[in-house]
Amino acid sequence: MPLRLAILSFWHVHAADYARQASAHPDTEITAVWDEDTARGRAQADALGADFHPDLGGLLARDDVDAVVVTCPTTAHREVITAAAAAGKHVFTEKVLAPTPAECAEIVAAVRKAGVSLMLALPRLYEGFTAAVREVLADGVLGRLTLVRVRLAHGGAVGERWLPERFYDPAATAGGALIDLGCHPMYLARLFLGRMPDTVSASFGHVTQHAVDDNAVAVLRCDDGTLAVVEASFTTPASPFSIELHGTEGSLVYGTPEPRLLLRTDGDWRELPVPPPAGTPFDLFVRHVAEGTSDEENLALGLDLTRLMAAAARSSREEGSRI
């Protein structure tokens, strides 16, 4: 029997992507939709040939829903995910898990109590370039790691301004470019550091004068002097995704701008092979549910991600030293 899914809200821009993945997956089917916006949800349900529920509790009571895809506003994650877990539904959710560590703890407690699977959409964790970078770090050829830099940006707030206005509403998003797009460089930076930093400082820009940041930088500092720089923006359409790792004996770069992995340890740059991705987070979630397993690294990084984002938000409220 296929895994029977419900989509919980089409608020997030990636909800339609997950609906397409679920529709195309041989082992899943979409049976129901709930949305806090009734008109939007009903239209999406009709397009998918699924039932629409204006009431979340009614949907979660259905016997033909085994798992849910949570793509509601970030600030509603705690309420929605804990309800789904209490109803015995496995949960696949967009990042971040929740805006605060306290809310994350409540979600994890509910999931553990219910004995259901929980997985976050952290796609770059499973990319081939991430696996290759981790292998270089494990080999130790960079020496002592001194600097990590990861950048991800798009131009959704400028030009055609394709990013929906709801993504600038702090009551729904709990933040802007850093907590949304910057999640990916943040969890990668945390992964490559190999530990949580000791301090986080951040500066948020408002290029388009929205209520949330559209241009952001966070610096993670470890007490041994190692730094990580995380950059995210909604205002730079031509900026490539990029990774840099620098150590006392070498450097590694990726995607600046071509998707090539380059390593220099002996005076010359050489290209390293990039293996294929391990799979999409959605594919891996379906597999974990089927096999009764879980991705503990995914959840651990997700919890650290919220801790880092909360620290960055606190730091951004300090205006810094005027020159």
Side-chain angles (χ1 to χ4, degrees), residues 24-111:
H25 198 289
D27 298 322
T28 62
E29 64 175 348
I30 300 171
T31 58
V33 170
W34 166 84
D35 200 306
E36 68 279 2
D37 182 323
T38 300
R40 179 178 63 200
R42 194 178 300 280
Q44 293 288 348
D46 289 346
L48 293 167
D51 295 332
F52 175 71
H53 281 260
D55 172 61
L56 178 60
L59 182 149
L60 294 176
R62 290 176 61 131
D63 292 332
D64 63 347
V65 172
D66 306 310
V68 296
V69 175
V70 177
T71 37
C72 63
T74 304
T75 52
H77 277 197
R78 180 198 59 79
E79 177 183 0
V80 171
I81 296 175
T82 56
K89 314 303 183 185
H90 303 287
V91 178
F92 178 81
T93 183
E94 253 298 331
K95 42 66 179 168
V96 291
L97 181 58
T100 68
E103 291 172 273
C104 287
E106 192 173 341
I107 290 171
V108 172
V111 166

Side-chain angles (χ1 to χ4, degrees), residues 7-319:
I7 308 293
L8 302 187
S9 179
F10 278 80
W11 176 87
H12 202 284
V13 293
H14 291 313
D17 297 328
Y18 301 133
R20 282 191 292 271
Q21 290 180 48
S23 297
H25 198 289
D27 298 322
T28 62
E29 64 175 348
I30 300 171
T31 58
V33 170
W34 166 84
D35 200 306
E36 68 279 2
D37 182 323
T38 300
R40 179 178 63 200
R42 194 178 300 280
Q44 293 288 348
D46 289 346
L48 293 167
D51 295 332
F52 175 71
H53 281 260
D55 172 61
L56 178 60
L59 182 149
L60 294 176
R62 290 176 61 131
D63 292 332
D64 63 347
V65 172
D66 306 310
V68 296
V69 175
V70 177
T71 37
C72 63
T74 304
T75 52
H77 277 197
R78 180 198 59 79
E79 177 183 0
V80 171
I81 296 175
T82 56
K89 314 303 183 185
H90 303 287
V91 178
F92 178 81
T93 183
E94 253 298 331
K95 42 66 179 168
V96 291
L97 181 58
T100 68
E103 291 172 273
C104 287
E106 192 173 341
I107 290 171
V108 172
V111 166
R112 302 288 194 211
K113 181 178 179 180
V116 296
S117 297
L118 170 65
M119 188 162 181
L120 284 76
L122 308 179
R124 285 169 175 78
L125 178 59
Y126 308 102
E127 288 286 355
F129 57 75
T130 301
V133 171
R134 297 180 79 171
E135 185 174 346
V136 168
L137 288 171
D139 288 345
V141 295
L142 298 182
R144 177 184 165 190
L145 192 65
T146 58
L147 179 67
V148 174
R149 175 181 172 267
V150 191
R151 176 175 177 81
L152 182 61
H154 61 55
V158 296
E160 295 181 359
R161 302 187 180 186
W162 54 262
L163 197 64
E165 281 298 314
R166 60 184 181 272
F167 265 57
Y168 305 117
D169 177 8
T173 61
L178 190 68
I179 200 171
D180 175 58
L181 199 59
C183 279
H184 302 292
M186 186 69 85
Y187 65 72
L188 287 179
R190 160 65 186 87
L191 179 71
F192 298 151
L193 282 175
R195 61 196 188 280
M196 282 289 279
D198 296 287
T199 63
V200 178
S201 57
S203 184
F204 289 179
H206 297 261
V207 176
T208 57
Q209 302 302 308
H210 283 98
V212 298
D213 56 291
D214 55 20
N215 198 31
V217 175
V219 178
L220 320 181
R221 182 179 66 82
C222 300
D223 280 350
D224 66 358
T226 306
L227 299 174
V229 180
V230 172
E231 304 172 16
S233 180
F234 293 158
T235 63
T236 52
S239 178
F241 169 64
S242 58
I243 296 172
E244 297 179 26
L245 274 70
H246 303 283
T248 56
E249 297 178 26
S251 291
L252 177 150
V253 296
Y254 175 82
T256 52
E258 292 85 10
R260 299 170 62 206
L261 187 65
L262 302 175
L263 175 68
R264 180 172 177 172
T265 58
D266 56 2
D268 295 312
W269 290 99
R270 60 188 177 93
E271 186 169 358
L272 301 180
V274 175
T280 70
F282 180 79
D283 289 337
L284 296 172
F285 168 70
V286 174
R287 187 186 311 168
H288 281 302
V289 172
E291 297 175 355
T293 56
S294 60
D295 189 331
E296 294 300 327
E297 182 180 59
N298 175 280
L299 181 56
L301 282 174
L303 295 176
D304 284 351
L305 176 60
T306 288
R307 291 174 61 196
L308 291 165
M309 287 297 176
R314 289 195 301 272
S315 172
S316 73
R317 292 191 285 269
E318 303 171 3
E319 293 191 4

